[in-house]
Amino acid sequence: MSRRPGARQLEGSVSLITGGGAGIGRATALLFAEEGAAVVVADRDAVAALDVADEIAAEGGTALGLHVDVADEQSVRDLVDAAVARFGKLDSAFNNAGIAPPGAAVQDINAEDWDLVQRVNLRGVWLCLTYELKHMLARGTGSIVNSASVAGLVGNPGSAGYSAAKHGVIGLTRTAAAEHGRHGVRINAIAPGLTGTEMVRRLMAEGVIDPETATARMPLGRLAEPREIAEAALWLASPRSSFVTGSVLTVDGGETAV
Protein backbone atom coordinates (compact mmCIF):
# COMPACT_ATOMS: atom_id res chain seq x y z
CA MET A 1 0.00 0.00 0.00
CA SER A 2 2.15 2.85 -1.28
CA ARG A 3 1.50 6.40 -0.12
CA ARG A 4 0.71 8.99 -2.75
CA PRO A 5 2.17 12.50 -2.50
CA GLY A 6 0.07 15.49 -1.51
CA ALA A 7 -2.98 15.93 0.67
CA ARG A 8 -4.92 12.74 1.27
CA GLN A 9 -8.48 12.89 -0.03
CA LEU A 10 -10.17 10.97 2.80
CA GLU A 11 -8.03 12.07 5.73
CA GLY A 12 -9.83 11.55 9.04
CA SER A 13 -12.91 9.96 7.48
CA VAL A 14 -14.56 6.56 7.93
CA SER A 15 -15.47 4.41 4.94
CA LEU A 16 -17.45 1.18 4.67
CA ILE A 17 -16.83 -1.16 1.74
CA THR A 18 -18.88 -4.29 1.07
CA GLY A 19 -17.40 -7.05 -1.02
CA GLY A 20 -14.10 -5.75 0.30
CA GLY A 21 -12.36 -9.10 0.53
CA ALA A 22 -11.41 -9.41 -3.13
CA GLY A 23 -11.38 -7.79 -6.55
CA ILE A 24 -12.65 -4.24 -6.88
CA GLY A 25 -13.66 -4.10 -3.22
CA ARG A 26 -10.20 -5.07 -2.01
CA ALA A 27 -8.53 -2.56 -4.35
CA THR A 28 -10.90 0.15 -3.09
CA ALA A 29 -10.29 -0.68 0.56
CA LEU A 30 -6.53 -0.41 0.05
CA LEU A 31 -6.84 2.85 -1.88
CA PHE A 32 -9.21 4.46 0.63
CA ALA A 33 -6.80 3.55 3.41
CA GLU A 34 -3.92 5.10 1.44
CA GLU A 35 -6.02 8.25 1.23
CA GLY A 36 -6.42 8.48 4.99
CA ALA A 37 -9.71 6.74 5.71
CA ALA A 38 -10.37 4.30 8.50
CA VAL A 39 -11.85 1.45 6.46
CA VAL A 40 -14.47 -1.10 7.44
CA VAL A 41 -13.84 -4.06 5.14
CA ALA A 42 -17.00 -6.20 4.92
CA ASP A 43 -17.41 -9.46 3.03
CA ARG A 44 -19.39 -12.68 3.22
CA ASP A 45 -15.95 -14.34 3.42
CA ALA A 46 -14.97 -13.20 6.90
CA VAL A 47 -11.41 -14.51 6.54
CA ALA A 48 -10.88 -12.49 3.35
CA ALA A 49 -12.24 -9.36 5.06
CA LEU A 50 -9.89 -9.82 7.99
CA ASP A 51 -6.95 -10.45 5.65
CA VAL A 52 -7.52 -7.15 3.83
CA ALA A 53 -7.93 -5.32 7.13
CA ASP A 54 -4.66 -6.84 8.34
CA GLU A 55 -2.96 -5.81 5.09
CA ILE A 56 -4.07 -2.22 5.66
CA ALA A 57 -2.93 -2.28 9.29
CA ALA A 58 0.47 -3.68 8.29
CA GLU A 59 0.98 -0.60 6.11
CA GLY A 60 0.12 1.76 8.95
CA GLY A 61 -3.56 2.25 8.12
CA THR A 62 -6.67 1.72 10.22
CA ALA A 63 -9.17 -0.98 9.29
CA LEU A 64 -11.78 -3.33 10.69
CA GLY A 65 -12.69 -6.59 8.97
CA LEU A 66 -16.26 -7.82 9.41
CA HIS A 67 -18.55 -10.48 8.02
CA VAL A 68 -21.73 -9.45 6.20
CA ASP A 69 -24.44 -11.12 4.18
CA VAL A 70 -25.82 -8.15 2.26
CA ALA A 71 -29.01 -10.05 1.40
CA ASP A 72 -29.86 -10.37 5.11
CA GLU A 73 -31.30 -7.29 6.79
CA GLN A 74 -30.08 -8.08 10.31
CA SER A 75 -26.58 -8.73 9.02
CA VAL A 76 -26.49 -5.36 7.25
CA ARG A 77 -27.93 -3.53 10.26
CA ASP A 78 -25.33 -5.11 12.54
CA LEU A 79 -22.54 -4.23 10.11
CA VAL A 80 -23.37 -0.55 9.90
CA ASP A 81 -23.99 -0.30 13.64
CA ALA A 82 -20.63 -2.00 14.32
CA ALA A 83 -18.83 0.42 12.01
CA VAL A 84 -20.33 3.44 13.74
CA ALA A 85 -19.77 1.97 17.19
CA ARG A 86 -16.09 1.37 16.41
CA PHE A 87 -15.29 4.65 14.67
CA GLY A 88 -18.05 7.00 15.85
CA LYS A 89 -19.33 7.98 12.40
CA LEU A 90 -19.68 6.96 8.77
CA ASP A 91 -18.56 9.40 6.08
CA SER A 92 -18.66 7.28 2.94
CA ALA A 93 -19.66 3.86 1.71
CA PHE A 94 -19.02 1.75 -1.36
CA ASN A 95 -21.82 -0.80 -1.80
CA ASN A 96 -19.86 -3.17 -3.99
CA ALA A 97 -20.80 -6.71 -2.99
CA GLY A 98 -22.29 -8.73 -5.82
CA ILE A 99 -22.42 -12.10 -7.54
CA ALA A 100 -22.63 -13.34 -11.12
CA PRO A 101 -25.06 -16.21 -11.84
CA PRO A 102 -24.49 -18.91 -14.48
CA GLY A 103 -25.00 -17.68 -18.03
CA ALA A 104 -28.38 -18.50 -19.62
CA ALA A 105 -30.89 -17.05 -22.06
CA VAL A 106 -33.93 -15.38 -20.49
CA GLN A 107 -36.22 -18.37 -20.96
CA ASP A 108 -33.63 -20.79 -19.56
CA ILE A 109 -32.80 -19.00 -16.31
CA ASN A 110 -33.30 -21.07 -13.19
CA ALA A 111 -35.75 -19.28 -10.87
CA GLU A 112 -33.49 -19.86 -7.88
CA ASP A 113 -30.55 -18.27 -9.72
CA TRP A 114 -32.75 -15.31 -10.67
CA ASP A 115 -33.91 -14.78 -7.09
CA LEU A 116 -30.40 -15.10 -5.65
CA VAL A 117 -28.86 -12.47 -7.92
CA GLN A 118 -31.70 -10.05 -7.17
CA ARG A 119 -31.31 -10.60 -3.42
CA VAL A 120 -27.59 -9.96 -3.43
CA ASN A 121 -27.07 -7.45 -6.24
CA LEU A 122 -30.20 -5.31 -5.81
CA ARG A 123 -31.78 -6.00 -2.42
CA GLY A 124 -28.29 -6.02 -0.91
CA VAL A 125 -27.50 -2.56 -2.24
CA TRP A 126 -30.88 -1.28 -1.06
CA LEU A 127 -30.36 -2.68 2.45
CA CYS A 128 -26.87 -1.20 2.73
CA LEU A 129 -28.09 2.14 1.41
CA THR A 130 -30.97 2.13 3.88
CA TYR A 131 -28.86 1.64 7.00
CA GLU A 132 -26.01 3.85 5.83
CA LEU A 133 -28.49 6.64 5.21
CA LYS A 134 -29.90 6.37 8.72
CA HIS A 135 -26.52 7.36 10.11
CA MET A 136 -25.53 9.87 7.44
CA LEU A 137 -28.85 11.73 7.49
CA ALA A 138 -28.58 12.15 11.25
CA ARG A 139 -25.26 13.96 10.71
CA GLY A 140 -26.34 15.79 7.56
CA THR A 141 -23.38 14.64 5.49
CA GLY A 142 -22.08 11.64 3.58
CA SER A 143 -21.27 10.11 0.22
CA ILE A 144 -22.50 6.72 -0.97
CA VAL A 145 -21.27 4.94 -4.08
CA ASN A 146 -23.20 1.97 -5.44
CA SER A 147 -21.66 -0.60 -7.74
CA ALA A 148 -23.66 -0.97 -10.94
CA SER A 149 -22.21 -2.21 -14.24
CA VAL A 150 -22.24 -1.55 -17.96
CA ALA A 151 -24.80 -4.36 -17.82
CA GLY A 152 -27.02 -1.85 -16.03
CA LEU A 153 -26.83 0.51 -19.00
CA VAL A 154 -27.28 -1.84 -21.97
CA GLY A 155 -28.62 -5.31 -22.65
CA ASN A 156 -26.35 -8.15 -21.55
CA PRO A 157 -27.17 -11.31 -23.54
CA GLY A 158 -26.88 -14.45 -21.45
CA SER A 159 -27.15 -12.63 -18.14
CA ALA A 160 -30.62 -11.14 -17.88
CA GLY A 161 -30.87 -11.51 -14.10
CA TYR A 162 -27.58 -9.72 -13.52
CA SER A 163 -28.48 -7.00 -16.01
CA ALA A 164 -31.91 -6.49 -14.45
CA ALA A 165 -30.39 -6.15 -10.99
CA LYS A 166 -27.78 -3.66 -12.15
CA HIS A 167 -30.40 -1.59 -14.00
CA GLY A 168 -32.26 -1.59 -10.70
CA VAL A 169 -29.19 -0.34 -8.83
CA ILE A 170 -29.01 2.64 -11.17
CA GLY A 171 -32.69 3.47 -10.67
CA LEU A 172 -32.29 3.11 -6.91
CA THR A 173 -29.23 5.35 -6.92
CA ARG A 174 -30.90 8.13 -8.87
CA THR A 175 -34.04 8.03 -6.75
CA ALA A 176 -32.14 8.09 -3.45
CA ALA A 177 -29.99 10.95 -4.72
CA ALA A 178 -33.09 12.94 -5.64
CA GLU A 179 -34.55 12.32 -2.18
CA HIS A 180 -31.51 13.23 -0.10
CA GLY A 181 -29.37 15.80 -1.90
CA ARG A 182 -30.91 18.58 0.20
CA HIS A 183 -30.10 16.60 3.33
CA GLY A 184 -26.35 16.69 2.68
CA VAL A 185 -25.90 13.15 1.39
CA ARG A 186 -24.63 12.47 -2.14
CA ILE A 187 -25.41 9.13 -3.81
CA ASN A 188 -23.82 7.99 -7.07
CA ALA A 189 -23.08 4.80 -8.95
CA ILE A 190 -20.16 3.35 -10.87
CA ALA A 191 -20.71 1.26 -14.01
CA PRO A 192 -17.52 -0.74 -14.52
CA GLY A 193 -16.80 -2.65 -17.68
CA LEU A 194 -15.06 -6.00 -17.60
CA THR A 195 -12.45 -5.94 -14.88
CA GLY A 196 -9.68 -8.41 -14.11
CA THR A 197 -11.19 -9.76 -10.90
CA GLU A 198 -11.38 -13.31 -9.61
CA MET A 199 -15.06 -13.46 -10.52
CA VAL A 200 -14.53 -12.35 -14.13
CA ARG A 201 -11.62 -14.72 -14.62
CA ARG A 202 -13.78 -17.57 -13.30
CA LEU A 203 -16.52 -16.70 -15.79
CA MET A 204 -13.93 -16.68 -18.56
CA ALA A 205 -12.65 -20.09 -17.48
CA GLU A 206 -16.22 -21.42 -17.49
CA GLY A 207 -16.83 -20.08 -20.99
CA VAL A 208 -19.50 -17.61 -19.87
CA ILE A 209 -17.31 -14.72 -21.08
CA ASP A 210 -15.12 -14.93 -24.19
CA PRO A 211 -12.17 -12.65 -23.42
CA GLU A 212 -11.25 -12.05 -27.06
CA THR A 213 -14.79 -11.06 -28.02
CA ALA A 214 -15.18 -8.92 -24.93
CA THR A 215 -11.99 -6.93 -25.38
CA ALA A 216 -12.38 -6.62 -29.15
CA ARG A 217 -15.38 -4.33 -28.69
CA MET A 218 -13.57 -2.03 -26.28
CA PRO A 219 -11.74 0.96 -27.76
CA LEU A 220 -9.02 0.53 -25.11
CA GLY A 221 -8.80 -3.17 -25.98
CA ARG A 222 -8.24 -4.63 -22.51
CA LEU A 223 -9.82 -5.43 -19.18
CA ALA A 224 -9.78 -2.82 -16.44
CA GLU A 225 -7.53 -3.28 -13.44
CA PRO A 226 -9.42 -3.31 -10.11
CA ARG A 227 -7.40 -0.27 -9.01
CA GLU A 228 -8.77 1.72 -11.98
CA ILE A 229 -12.32 1.17 -10.76
CA ALA A 230 -11.24 1.98 -7.21
CA GLU A 231 -9.94 5.35 -8.38
CA ALA A 232 -13.41 6.20 -9.69
CA ALA A 233 -14.98 5.16 -6.38
CA LEU A 234 -12.47 7.34 -4.56
CA TRP A 235 -13.37 10.41 -6.59
CA LEU A 236 -17.09 9.94 -5.98
CA ALA A 237 -16.59 9.27 -2.27
CA SER A 238 -14.31 12.25 -1.76
CA PRO A 239 -15.08 15.98 -1.45
CA ARG A 240 -13.55 16.46 -4.91
CA SER A 241 -16.89 15.38 -6.40
CA SER A 242 -18.87 17.71 -4.11
CA PHE A 243 -21.34 18.81 -6.81
CA VAL A 244 -21.98 15.32 -8.17
CA THR A 245 -25.02 13.30 -7.12
CA GLY A 246 -27.42 11.00 -8.93
CA SER A 247 -24.77 10.26 -11.54
CA VAL A 248 -23.54 7.02 -13.07
CA LEU A 249 -19.80 7.10 -13.76
CA THR A 250 -19.02 4.68 -16.57
CA VAL A 251 -15.54 3.15 -16.36
CA ASP A 252 -15.57 0.70 -19.25
CA GLY A 253 -12.68 1.38 -21.62
CA GLY A 254 -15.13 2.94 -24.07
CA GLU A 255 -17.28 -0.21 -24.44
CA THR A 256 -20.60 1.65 -24.31
CA ALA A 257 -19.34 4.39 -26.64
CA VAL A 258 -19.49 2.11 -29.69
Side-chain angles (χ1 to χ4, degrees), residues 30-125:
L30 295 175
L31 179 58
F32 280 25
E34 285 179 34
E35 292 294 337
V39 181
V40 179
V41 184
D43 202 284
R44 64 179 175 177
D45 183 340
V47 173
L50 289 170
D51 285 347
V52 175
D54 287 345
E55 187 175 354
I56 290 170
E59 292 291 335
T62 301
L64 176 65
L66 294 172
H67 169 267
V68 69
D69 175 359
V70 296
D72 179 77
E73 184 171 8
Q74 187 63 53
S75 182
V76 172
R77 180 190 293 118
D78 290 346
L79 167 68
V80 178
D81 285 348
V84 174
R86 172 65 177 81
F87 295 112
K89 61 177 182 173
L90 182 62
D91 297 291
S92 64
F94 182 34
N95 297 323
N96 166 72
I99 59 171
V106 173
Q107 71 278 8
D108 297 325
I109 297 173
N110 180 291
E112 292 181 358
D113 289 338
W114 175 277
D115 290 343
L116 178 60
V117 77
Q118 304 311 313
R119 287 200 303 273
V120 175
N121 291 7
L122 182 53
R123 172 184 165 87
V125 171

Side-chain angles (χ1 to χ4, degrees), residues 13 42 45 66 90 137 150 179 187 201 205 217 223 237 243 250:
S13 70
D45 183 340
L66 294 172
L90 182 62
L137 291 173
V150 293
E179 290 176 349
I187 304 159
R201 297 195 188 284
R217 67 173 181 261
L223 301 184
F243 200 60
T250 305

